[in-house]
Amino acid sequence: MQVTEALAIDHGLKKEEFIKICDLLKRTPNLTELAIFSAMWNEHCSYKSSRKHLKKLHTKGKQVIQGPGENAGVVDIGDDDAIVFKIESHNHPSFIEPYQGAATGVGGIMRDVFTMGARPIANLNSIHFGSPQHKKTKNLLRGVVKGIGGYGNCIGVPTIGGQTSFDDSYNGNILVNAMTIGLVNKNKIFYSKAAGLNKPVIYVGSKTGRDGIHGASMASATFDDKIEEKKPTVQVGDPFTEKLLLEACLELMSDNSIIAIQDMGAAGLTSSSVEMASKGNLGIELDLSKVPCREEEMTPYEIMLSESQERMLIVLENGKENHAKKIFEKWDLDFAVIGKTTNSKKIELKFNNTKVAEIPINLLAENAPIYDRKWKKTKLPQKLKINKNEFKSLNLSDCLKKILANPNISEKKWIWDQYDHTVMGDTIQKPGGDAGVVRIHGSKKAIAASIDSSASYCNSHPLTGGKQIVCESWRNLISVGAKPIAITNCLNFGNPEKEKNMGEFVECVEGISESCKYLNFPVVSGNVSFYNETKDKGIKPTPAIGGIGLIKDYEKMVTMNIKNEGNLVFVLGKTEGHLDQSIFAKSILSEDKGPPPEINLFNEKNNGETLLKLIDKNLIKSCHDVSIGGILVAVSKMCILGKKGIKLNPIKSLTNKFEYFFAEDQSRYIIELEKKNLEIVRKILKKNSVHYDELGTVSKNQLEFGSEIKLSIEEIEESNKIWLKKFMDN
């Protein structure tokens, strides 16, 4: 087939990119070479629109062993233990084929983690769907949840937390972001950098098929009416094979056989081989006729672009081939020596004794395009001029029940009940709290993890929204008694060729970096997902933040369920009454304009670190951060989980009760403490200049505020449970 400009454009390349390829090669590429360029130069693999700005992220920290640039980030948690973790998107595949798209997203992120020598110990996810009224939403939700559960449950890794939201902007492009956490000895971490000459290059895992071809390119394109035609680009996963691959890789990693190892993820054999060679400043020679294929007469083009799942590429030490082969054959997996490292600094491909491709590695890596795209700054919106006379006709109880039933507030038990969160026996805080927690086997340590995003705040003002979502992650970890260590991010945005979308990305990144630097909460891994739009309509900017923290003694872990009658309930942090962009404003006042709540990083850091001191001294019985929905929603969820009520005190700091109870001001926590510890808690809060309100007292079975709220726990719980169950049952 003759390679033309039109064919290059069909492969997702721009006209000017094709011209550049011809200039660099000093010839026209053949079809296989064009495929390799299209894979390596697409947005998903090259980060050509984002790389310039990602350099602004705060990535350094005392506990950081490996930051961005590897399969996953690594942080030190002491005692020679390290945590490997990352989040990835699988948005486009999940919209096209929800079950397999979500399942292979989970499989892919787990391979990124165990490729580095870590055994996965927990999964999380952030999933976003269109309006509940949209005709596709219910089926997409059902398929995605089944896919996540189907893969994670089968491989035997607990899903300990997640986030689910609904918004019109996802009608034509849902988001499925998967996160995995793994545990490894910090002295036994494996990397993807190839080293040494004439080292054998090994293919292991499943056979290569035609599924997933052009998957990476598809992930860098917008959708149109022909979306159904893209189903063949979605990979098909097999969790049972992944489990075998995991165990085989970890077994081989127990000795000194492996020089480098890389998951065949996006762009399959193309990206894995090029990235290993590029990092090692080497060449790589592959004989594609030796690649195990499950379909007949596969071409070099298909073999290089296939994204068949459960496959790895390994560079071995010489003489270790038979040893490695025995391990993989024992686990009933394919094993083949398909090439070697060279000093050519090229990728050279043979097929049936014929050279079919030859490309200098640097043309695919360092010479990939880097764009400095134009972008538009978002002005901070003017505050809403809310007519407070409207509040006179509102009833606090009715407002609370309506907000608790909001799709973005409602209990998601229907979802997490489909995930196995107890397998492995180390989960000590399950989904439904601020953060999931797993024990580190054989120690007193535990890892807390959360995943958060806030598209509304980021859409209103990306810079503030970017700062906020890092702070939300910080608070969720602190709420369970964990010291925050680091984050991973999945940055989901629309078409970067549009100045508005690019501006949202740039400013969100700047906001994320500012918060991370101030809080000493570095970014160690992540993913960028652009082109999330259909028919020229993009999603709201949705950066998802996966945070991890360390609990040195898991017996000091805190949960959010209210504990004992007579205990006192405080709000830490000042409530200013910010209603703009709140659930209250949208659900009750039908207002969706205005700025997000202001972020005060000093208060965020000070309030959080002070709370950790209180937790360390065993002064806190329960805790929950105040986020979406405000104080009343936070205390309601604490009451539901604890099966106890709270008698709320009269408001002192604000005159307007709706502003006080539903505001979404940041840097706040609800804490429960025993009366005997009142004075010492007050003393510590005063010493550290932390504002607090004495909110109320734990009661038997009712949430009460004067004569305006008298709701049983059963009523609150029913309001919070009813929406999702009813939605999925209809």
Side-chain angles (χ1 to χ4, degrees):
M1 183 184 288
Q2 186 180 359
V3 172
T4 63
E5 183 184 291
L7 186 63
I9 291 169
D10 283 344
H11 279 70
L13 293 163
K14 305 290 186 188
K15 176 183 176 180
E16 56 273 21
E17 291 173 344
F18 179 62
I19 293 169
K20 182 179 179 180
I21 290 166
C22 295
D23 288 344
L24 290 169
L25 285 175
K26 296 182 172 57
R27 59 180 173 84
T28 302
N30 63 36
L31 183 61
T32 301
E33 291 169 334
L34 178 71
I36 292 169
F37 271 106
S38 74
M40 294 307 300
W41 282 24
N42 71 48
E43 198 73 62
H44 194 79
C45 293
S46 72
Y47 290 80
K48 57 190 177 187
S49 298
S50 59
R51 205 183 314 175
K52 176 180 185 291
H53 301 284
L54 294 176
K55 292 176 180 177
K56 303 172 188 174
L57 290 171
H58 176 66
T59 60
K60 305 293 185 185
K62 281 197 291 186
Q63 291 172 263
V64 176
I65 296 173
Q66 175 64 55
E70 262 294 341
N71 286 300
V74 189
V75 293
D76 191 338
I77 60 167
D79 309 309
D80 287 337
D81 292 326
I83 291 295
V84 179
F85 69 112
K86 190 184 181 184
I87 186 172
E88 275 266 7
S89 62
H90 230 221
N91 304 334
H92 284 45
S94 299
F95 187 58
I96 297 167
E97 212 299 297
Y99 183 92
Q100 288 295 349
T104 52
V106 174
I109 194 62
M110 280 199 281
R111 287 194 300 280
D112 280 341
V113 167
F114 73 73
T115 298
M116 300 194 70
R119 180 173 290 280
I121 59 173
N123 289 329
L124 300 95
N125 56 76
S126 176
I127 52 179
H128 302 259
F129 299 91
S131 164
Q133 286 74 45
H134 192 272
K135 62 183 181 181
K136 287 188 176 182
T137 296
K138 188 182 298 182
N139 285 336
L140 287 168
L141 174 62
R142 185 175 282 114
V144 165
V145 171
K146 282 186 176 179
I148 292 170
Y151 206 101
N153 297 352
C154 290
I155 202 171
V157 177
T159 299
I160 64 167
Q163 174 205 20
T164 305
S165 78
F166 301 86
D167 187 90
D168 289 356
S169 78
Y170 308 115
N171 283 348
N173 199 122
I174 65 172
L175 302 183
V176 176
N177 296 173
M179 176 178 169
T180 292
I181 302 164
L183 177 67
V184 68
N185 184 298
K186 73 175 185 181
N187 302 309
K188 295 181 179 179
I189 300 167
F190 288 81
Y191 299 95
S192 58
K193 179 181 176 181
L197 299 179
N198 294 312
K199 302 294 183 182
V201 177
I202 314 296
Y203 173 114
V204 299
S206 290
K207 287 180 169 60
T208 294
R210 290 188 170 97
D211 55 315
I213 292 174
H214 295 300
S217 299
M218 180 269 294
S220 301
T222 57
F223 288 148
D224 53 28
D225 290 326
K226 298 179 180 178
I227 184 175
E228 294 298 318
E229 296 176 10
K230 298 183 185 290
K231 279 194 176 183
T233 64
V234 179
Q235 311 92 330
V236 178
D238 180 355
F240 300 105
T241 300
E242 177 121 334
K243 174 64 174 173
L244 300 178
L245 184 61
L246 161 66
E247 298 301 340
C249 287
L250 293 181
E251 184 175 338
L252 184 60
M253 288 168 170
S254 64
D255 59 33
N256 296 316
S257 300
I258 296 176
I259 296 172
I261 181 168
Q262 178 75 35
D263 162 43
M264 290 192 220
L269 187 54
T270 293
S271 62
S272 56
S273 56
V274 170
E275 286 173 13
M276 292 173 86
S278 174
K279 288 174 182 176
N281 196 28
L282 295 169
I284 191 164
E285 183 182 293
L286 302 177
D287 185 348
L288 299 183
S289 53
K290 293 181 178 178
V291 172
C293 294
R294 67 169 180 260
E295 298 182 53
E296 294 182 359
E297 298 183 1
M298 287 190 70
T299 64
Y301 176 100
E302 293 171 325
I303 292 168
M304 290 302 291
L305 285 191
S306 169
E307 293 185 12
S308 294
Q309 298 290 284
E310 296 85 39
R311 303 179 299 158
M312 294 281 190
L313 199 64
I314 300 173
V315 178
L316 278 183
E317 290 286 0
N318 292 109
K320 296 288 187 178
E321 297 93 326
N322 286 334
H323 167 64
K325 185 178 181 181
K326 286 178 183 176
I327 290 174
F328 284 93
E329 287 184 345
K330 180 184 78 173
W331 290 99
D332 199 26
L333 295 164
D334 278 286
F335 177 99
V337 180
I338 65 168
K340 63 182 180 180
T341 59
T342 69
N343 63 0
S344 71
K345 298 186 181 179
K346 298 176 181 178
I347 180 169
E348 298 171 282
L349 306 179
K350 292 192 302 182
F351 186 69
N352 293 337
N353 296 315
T354 301
K355 184 172 282 189
V356 294
E358 182 178 355
I359 306 172
I361 293 287
N362 68 334
L363 303 191
L364 298 167
E366 299 97 289
N367 281 293
I370 298 178
Y371 293 127
D372 185 6
R373 298 197 183 276
K374 291 181 179 178
W375 59 277
K376 189 181 291 183
K377 193 178 180 71
T378 302
K379 292 181 181 178
L380 187 69
Q382 289 189 333
K383 278 189 72 68
L384 286 173
K385 294 179 180 177
I386 296 173
N387 182 3
K388 295 188 185 168
N389 287 326
E390 290 183 47
F391 294 163
K392 292 176 182 177
S393 62
L394 299 177
N395 177 281
L396 267 178
S397 291
D398 292 342
C399 289
L400 175 60
K401 288 194 287 185
K402 185 175 180 179
I403 290 171
L404 286 172
N406 183 283
N408 292 324
I409 299 286
S410 69
E411 184 193 76
K412 304 301 188 297
K413 193 171 185 293
W414 180 89
I415 294 172
W416 71 63
D417 271 356
Q418 297 182 58
Y419 308 149
D420 191 337
H421 38 260
T422 60
V423 65
M424 299 178 78
D426 286 317
T427 305
I428 55 175
Q429 192 153 172
K430 301 172 185 177
D434 286 303
V437 184
V438 289
R439 296 177 299 192
I440 302 299
H441 225 63
S443 77
K444 296 291 288 184
K445 295 182 296 191
I447 292 296
S450 71
I451 194 164
D452 303 281
S453 66
S454 181
S456 290
Y457 292 171
C458 291
N459 188 57
S460 169
H461 192 240
L463 182 67
T464 304
K467 289 197 283 188
Q468 186 275 336
I469 202 60
V470 173
C471 295
E472 174 73 14
S473 178
W474 166 270
R475 288 196 299 276
N476 280 334
L477 297 171
I478 285 174
S479 294
V480 300
K483 178 178 171 51
I485 299 175
I487 70 167
T488 181
N489 58 42
C490 194
L491 308 176
N492 307 277
F493 292 82
N495 185 346
E497 297 166 49
K498 298 177 180 177
E499 291 184 21
K500 180 178 181 295
N501 292 347
M502 193 65 207
E504 291 169 344
F505 173 79
V506 172
E507 292 194 283
C508 274
V509 167
E510 289 176 354
I512 289 168
S513 187
E514 187 178 339
S515 284
C516 286
K517 190 172 183 178
Y518 193 94
L519 299 173
N520 191 24
F521 198 28
V523 181
V524 297
S525 59
N527 167 240
V528 178
S529 176
F530 279 135
Y531 297 99
N532 289 291
E533 59 181 63
T534 296
K535 297 181 183 177
D536 211 37
K537 185 171 180 160
I539 63 164
K540 288 178 179 175
T542 313
I545 300 295
I548 66 155
L550 176 65
I551 303 174
K552 287 185 177 179
D553 181 354
Y554 61 74
E555 291 185 358
K556 291 185 176 183
M557 180 188 75
V558 179
T559 58
M560 61 187 277
N561 53 299
I562 288 286
K563 301 300 186 300
N564 296 309
E565 278 183 69
N567 283 350
L568 304 175
V569 181
F570 280 21
V571 183
L572 299 192
K574 192 167 179 60
T575 301
E576 302 283 0
H578 188 98
L579 289 179
D580 294 30
Q581 293 298 324
S582 68
I583 284 284
F584 176 83
K586 292 171 184 173
S587 297
I588 308 300
L589 305 179
S590 300
E591 290 279 5
D592 63 357
K593 305 263 191 307
E598 184 182 344
I599 305 299
N600 184 313
L601 290 172
F602 173 83
N603 287 344
E604 201 69 66
K605 192 168 192 282
N606 186 52
N607 293 0
E609 289 180 343
T610 303
L611 177 54
L612 279 181
K613 290 174 184 173
L614 295 174
I615 291 171
D616 189 57
K617 295 179 184 291
N618 293 313
L619 296 170
I620 303 299
K621 303 305 291 184
S622 67
C623 179
H624 184 28
D625 82 306
V626 182
S627 55
I628 181 172
I631 288 172
L632 265 188
V633 169
V635 298
S636 294
K637 291 194 172 186
M638 294 173 80
C639 290
I640 291 168
L641 287 175
K643 305 296 182 187
K644 290 183 175 59
I646 296 176
K647 185 176 182 180
L648 299 166
N649 297 329
I651 298 167
K652 293 180 181 178
S653 57
L654 281 176
T655 55
N656 190 287
K657 60 198 174 197
F658 293 94
E659 287 181 322
Y660 185 79
F661 282 132
F662 295 114
E664 294 183 11
D665 302 285
Q666 302 293 289
S667 314
R668 296 181 299 160
Y669 304 82
I670 308 291
I671 61 170
E672 175 191 5
L673 60 144
E674 294 175 306
K675 284 182 178 178
K676 66 179 184 182
N677 294 321
L678 174 61
E679 290 310 315
I680 187 171
V681 169
R682 279 175 171 167
K683 188 177 177 181
I684 292 169
L685 294 175
K686 187 177 179 181
K687 182 183 176 183
N688 289 275
S689 301
V690 174
H691 180 91
Y692 66 93
D693 295 336
E694 296 184 20
L695 185 64
T697 306
V698 178
S699 61
K700 190 174 182 179
N701 57 11
Q702 184 172 260
L703 181 63
E704 182 180 349
F705 178 67
S707 62
E708 297 182 75
I709 301 177
K710 291 186 185 295
L711 294 171
S712 69
I713 303 308
E714 290 75 21
E715 286 179 274
I716 298 170
E717 188 172 16
E718 182 63 21
S719 297
N720 196 222
K721 277 184 174 181
I722 191 169
W723 180 79
L724 186 56
K725 187 177 184 304
K726 190 175 177 181
F727 177 65
M728 297 311 298
D729 286 348
N730 286 341

